[in-house]
Amino acid sequence: MLTQLTVQNFAIVQFLELEFRQGMTTITGETGAGKSIAIDALGLCLGERADANMVRTNTEKAEVNARFNLKDTPHALSWLQSNELENDNNECLLRRTISKEGRSRAYINGTPVPVSQLKSLGHLLVNIHGQHAHQSLLKNEIQLSIIDEYANHQALLQKVKDTYQGWFFLNKQLKQQLLSQQEKQARKQLLEYQIEELDDFGLGEDEFQTIEQEHKRLANSGALLEACQVSLNQISEGEEGDSLSLLQKSISLLEMQVDNDPAIGTIVSNLQEAVIQIEEASYELRHFRDNLELDPEHFQQLETRMSEILSLARKHQVQPELLYELHQKLSKEYKQLNNSEIQIEQLTIDLQHAEENYFKHARKLSQSRLRYSKELSTKITKSIHQLNMQEGQFHVALEQNECKQLSPLGIDNIEFQVATNAGQTLQDLGKVASGGELSRIGLAIQVIISQRVSTPTLIFDEVDVGISGSTAAIVGKLLRSLGENTQIFCVTHLPQVAGNGHQQMFVNKQSDGKSTNTRMFALNHQERINELARLLGGDTITEHTLANAQELLIS
C-alpha cells in the first residue's frame, strides 16, 4: 500500500509531504483548490506522461517520491526481484523528476530505470479510476476489458493476442506476395520465352571468347603462313644462308681460338645456347606452320556462329561475352519466381493453420466470457438496485461472430444493456441511461471489479459526479466496505461520501498575489465535522449543518 507521498515544485504545489494509512481516505477541498493534484503527482510516479508545464513556475525541476509497503503485495515483490530492483525491507520507493525543459527521469529504489518499467510496476501497485471513467463504458473495447478483468482472463487473452499476431504476420506476408503476383506472372512469361531461346541456342561458358579467338586466327591464316615461312627461311631454312648456319660457322671459327685464349670458351658457350634456342624456335614455328588450317568451310561456320551470338547479344542488350552470364541469371530468376508460387501455396496453408489456432483460443475465451458475463450481470443489477435504481436491470449481451475481421480482442460482439424502469426492454446502455444513471452504473462496475483485482491501492477520482442524496450515502458505504480490506483514496465533493472515510484530507489553495500554493493535510475529528458542514451548507456553517455533519461522520 502507499505509505508516503512527497511532492516538490509540481504544478502549483511548492511542497507536500503526506503520510497515508490503510482503509478509506477521502479527499475534499474548495472548488478549484486542486483536489486531484496529489493523484496527478502520484500518476507521474507511476509512469504517466511528463510535461514541462508540470514544473512550478520559476523553479528548475519538479520531483515526486512515492513510498510503498509491499508486505502484502507478492506480485510487485516478484516483479522487483525478476528485474533485480528489490531491497531488503519489503518497501519500494518510486521517484520521478522533470526539468523545466521537460526532461524526465525515473527511479525505482534509487536505480535509474526507463519510464516503461515504472509504468509496468505501477500497474501492480495502484489502480486509478478517473471521474470520466463511466463515459468510456460506451466503448466496446472497454466493455470487453471489464469482462476480462472481472474474469481474470489475462492468460486467455494473451494467448488470443499471440495467435492473432502470428496470423496477422502471415496474412501480411501473403498479401505482399499476392499483390505483386500479377506482375510476377507477366515477368515469368517473358522469362520463359527468353530462356527457351537461350536454351535452344545453347551457348557454352567462354564459348564466345574461344570462337572470337579462333575466328581471328583463321581470318589471318594467310598472313600467318607467309610470316612463318619467311621467318623459317631467315632463321634456319634459307638457301643462301640463315641465322642458324651463320651461328654454327661462328662457333666453329671461335672454337679453334680457345687454345689461344680460354676466355673465348665462355663466348662459345653462349653462342651454343643461342643455337639451341633457335633450333627449338624453328621446330615450334615449323610445327605451327604445318598445322595451320586453311579450312574455308570451318571458317564460315565460325563466322556464322559468331554472327548469331552478336545478334542475340544485341537483342538482349548485353555485351556478347556476357550473354552466357545473362542466361544463367534469367534461369535463376525464373526459378525464384517458381519458388514464389510455392511460397504462396505454403503461406496459404500456414495462414489457414494460424487462423484455426486463433479461433481455437478465441472460442475458449468467448465461452469463459459468456459464463462470467452472466455472473457480472447479476452482480451489477444487484448493485444498481442499492444505488437507487430499484427497478433497473443490467445485462451483458455477448455474441460470437467468427465472420468479422480477426481482432486481438477475440471474436465477441458485446453490448452493455440496461432497463432503468420496470417493464422496459433492455437496450444499449448509451441510448437509455441518463448521465446520473451512467455514473451509478459505472461506479457499481468499478467497485465490483475492484473487489476482484489484487491491486493493493485503489483511487477513485470524483467518480461520484452526478450522484447525490441518499444514493451518495450508499456510495460512501460501498467504498468504505471496500476499504476494509484495500487501501482506498476517494476524491469527492459529497459529504455523504467524505463522512464514510476512515480518515480525511483537506486541500486548499493560498495566494499572496504573486504566487499560488496548494496545500493538503489530514483533518482531525472536529476539523472533519467542520469540513462536512461546509460541504453541506456552503460557507455559512450553522448549528444545524454541524449536527448533520456529526451524523454523517462514521467513526
Side-chain angles (χ1 to χ4, degrees):
M1 72 172 194
L2 179 65
T3 59
Q4 186 183 62
L5 181 67
T6 305
V7 184
Q8 188 170 1
N9 296 328
F10 179 81
I12 57 173
V13 173
Q14 185 174 13
F15 182 78
L16 282 179
E17 188 172 63
L18 306 170
E19 304 287 337
F20 300 112
R21 293 180 287 167
Q22 185 62 274
M24 176 181 173
T25 299
T26 56
I27 301 172
T28 62
E30 302 163 350
T31 302
K35 293 187 289 295
S36 299
I37 201 160
I39 294 171
D40 293 339
L42 178 61
L44 189 67
C45 247
L46 299 172
E48 293 299 323
R49 183 177 177 273
D51 192 285
N53 293 329
M54 295 176 174
V55 181
R56 183 176 170 86
T57 304
N58 297 323
T59 62
E60 293 299 314
K61 70 174 183 177
E63 180 173 335
V64 182
N65 292 270
R67 187 180 301 276
F68 293 85
N69 186 321
L70 305 183
K71 181 181 178 182
D72 300 317
T73 317
H75 295 305
L77 278 172
S78 176
W79 187 95
L80 288 171
Q81 289 166 0
S82 64
N83 287 276
E84 299 182 350
L85 292 168
E86 75 275 21
N87 56 25
D88 298 327
N89 56 4
N90 283 340
E91 281 194 340
C92 177
L93 178 64
L94 305 184
R95 178 175 171 236
R96 188 88 178 272
T97 64
I98 315 170
S99 71
K100 65 180 180 180
E101 294 81 19
R103 291 190 298 272
S104 167
R105 293 184 178 178
Y107 304 84
I108 298 176
N109 286 331
T111 302
V113 296
V115 174
S116 57
Q117 276 197 312
L118 205 62
K119 198 163 191 174
S120 180
L121 176 59
H123 288 312
L124 303 174
L125 298 173
V126 178
N127 196 342
I128 299 177
H129 299 273
Q131 58 180 304
H132 302 297
H134 61 278
Q135 296 174 355
S136 64
L137 290 178
L138 306 179
K139 299 179 180 179
N140 289 350
E141 63 270 22
I142 298 299
Q143 294 176 358
L144 283 174
S145 71
I146 288 171
I147 290 290
D148 292 331
E149 192 171 6
Y150 176 79
N152 193 24
H153 278 158
Q154 286 87 343
L156 276 175
L157 189 58
Q158 189 60 50
K159 199 67 181 176
V160 171
K161 288 180 179 178
D162 290 344
T163 53
Y164 169 81
Q165 286 299 326
W167 172 87
F168 180 83
F169 178 73
L170 289 170
N171 189 49
K172 183 179 180 181
Q173 281 189 308
L174 182 58
K175 282 183 177 179
Q176 289 173 341
Q177 291 280 358
L178 291 173
L179 193 62
S180 59
Q181 186 62 14
Q182 189 172 357
E183 295 177 2
K184 287 180 180 178
Q185 195 61 36
R187 177 64 176 165
K188 186 180 174 183
Q189 290 175 353
L190 175 62
L191 288 176
E192 283 178 346
Y193 167 75
Q194 291 177 324
I195 292 170
E196 184 179 0
E197 183 180 42
L198 290 169
D199 284 344
D200 291 341
F201 190 73
L203 182 68
E205 187 174 6
D206 296 328
E207 182 185 347
F208 174 75
Q209 291 88 332
T210 303
I211 289 175
E212 186 179 37
Q213 186 178 359
E214 189 175 1
H215 179 273
K216 185 177 181 181
R217 182 175 63 83
L218 290 177
N220 296 280
S221 57
L224 282 171
L225 184 62
E226 183 181 354
C228 288
Q229 190 59 56
V230 170
S231 297
L232 280 170
N233 289 338
Q234 292 174 345
I235 293 172
S236 62
E237 295 181 355
E239 295 179 357
E240 297 179 358
D242 52 51
S243 300
L244 185 59
S245 298
L246 292 173
L247 275 175
Q248 288 171 339
K249 287 179 181 180
S250 297
I251 290 171
S252 297
L253 183 62
L254 290 172
E255 281 179 336
M256 291 186 293
Q257 301 301 320
V258 171
D259 292 337
N260 296 328
D261 190 341
I264 295 294
T266 303
I267 299 172
V268 170
S269 295
N270 290 336
L271 290 173
Q272 287 174 338
E273 288 180 6
V275 168
I276 294 172
Q277 293 291 329
I278 290 174
E279 287 178 340
E280 288 181 355
S282 296
Y283 173 79
E284 290 176 2
L285 190 57
R286 195 175 299 111
H287 179 76
F288 179 83
R289 181 200 62 188
D290 294 343
N291 287 281
L292 188 63
E293 294 183 7
L294 295 175
D295 186 348
E297 184 178 348
H298 180 57
F299 177 75
Q300 184 60 44
Q301 289 173 349
L302 288 176
E303 196 161 60
T304 301
R305 180 70 170 170
M306 190 171 178
S307 177
E308 290 173 345
I309 293 173
L310 292 170
S311 175
L312 198 56
R314 282 194 299 272
K315 182 177 182 179
H316 289 279
Q317 298 182 344
V318 294
Q319 294 298 317
E321 61 269 20
L322 299 178
L323 192 59
Y324 176 84
E325 183 181 335
L326 174 68
H327 187 187
Q328 306 308 307
K329 183 179 178 182
L330 295 179
S331 297
K332 183 178 180 181
E333 185 183 352
Y334 184 77
K335 184 177 180 181
Q336 288 174 339
L337 288 177
N338 281 335
N339 289 340
S340 175
E341 292 183 354
I342 296 172
Q343 286 177 353
I344 289 175
E345 292 176 6
Q346 187 59 51
L347 277 173
T348 304
I349 295 170
D350 292 345
L351 186 65
Q352 180 63 35
H353 291 161
E355 187 173 309
E356 291 170 359
N357 194 31
Y358 167 84
F359 278 117
K360 180 181 75 173
H361 293 287
R363 291 185 193 109
K364 189 174 181 181
L365 174 63
S366 181
Q367 289 165 3
S368 184
R369 280 173 173 168
L370 184 60
R371 180 165 65 88
Y372 281 102
S373 66
K374 295 174 182 177
E375 184 179 308
L376 184 60
S377 296
T378 301
K379 284 191 175 183
I380 294 175
T381 296
K382 183 178 178 180
S383 184
I384 64 175
H385 287 172
Q386 296 173 341
L387 294 172
N388 281 347
M389 292 177 64
Q390 290 87 350
E391 303 297 333
Q393 293 292 321
F394 184 89
H395 177 65
V396 179
L398 269 176
E399 180 185 17
Q400 284 189 7
N401 183 4
E402 297 189 7
C403 296
K404 73 174 187 177
Q405 186 176 359
L406 269 62
S407 161
L409 299 179
I411 57 175
D412 294 305
N413 291 331
I414 189 170
E415 184 176 272
F416 280 5
Q417 298 177 340
V418 66
T420 56
N421 298 296
Q424 285 185 333
T425 304
L426 287 165
Q427 295 185 58
D428 177 61
L429 180 64
K431 294 180 179 179
V432 296
S434 65
E437 291 167 337
L438 194 59
S439 294
R440 278 179 275 175
I441 293 169
L443 183 59
I445 291 173
Q446 290 176 27
V447 171
I448 291 169
I449 296 299
S450 297
Q451 292 170 337
R452 300 275 296 189
V453 300
S454 57
T455 309
T457 299
L458 304 174
I459 296 176
F460 295 90
D461 187 7
E462 295 198 33
V463 296
D464 49 16
V465 172
I467 296 171
S468 60
S470 58
T471 305
I474 297 170
V475 169
K477 290 177 182 177
L478 276 174
L479 294 175
R480 183 180 177 91
S481 174
L482 193 60
E484 296 296 336
N485 300 309
T486 307
Q487 186 183 39
I488 301 290
F489 291 92
C490 181
V491 178
T492 182
H493 65 286
L494 298 177
Q496 297 93 333
V497 174
N500 276 278
H502 294 92
Q503 50 269 336
Q504 185 172 344
M505 307 199 82
F506 179 72
V507 180
N508 74 341
K509 185 168 62 175
Q510 296 177 327
S511 175
D512 60 5
K514 297 180 180 179
S515 63
T516 303
N517 184 38
T518 290
R519 299 187 310 149
M520 182 174 174
F521 52 88
L523 300 177
N524 60 32
H525 183 77
Q526 186 56 51
E527 288 171 335
R528 289 190 70 183
I529 293 174
N530 292 340
E531 171 62 3
L532 293 177
R534 184 191 69 81
L535 292 172
L536 283 167
D539 294 333
T540 303
I541 299 176
T542 64
E543 292 296 326
H544 179 67
T545 54
L546 285 170
N548 287 343
Q550 179 72 54
E551 292 178 1
L552 290 175
L553 186 60
I554 308 298
S555 57

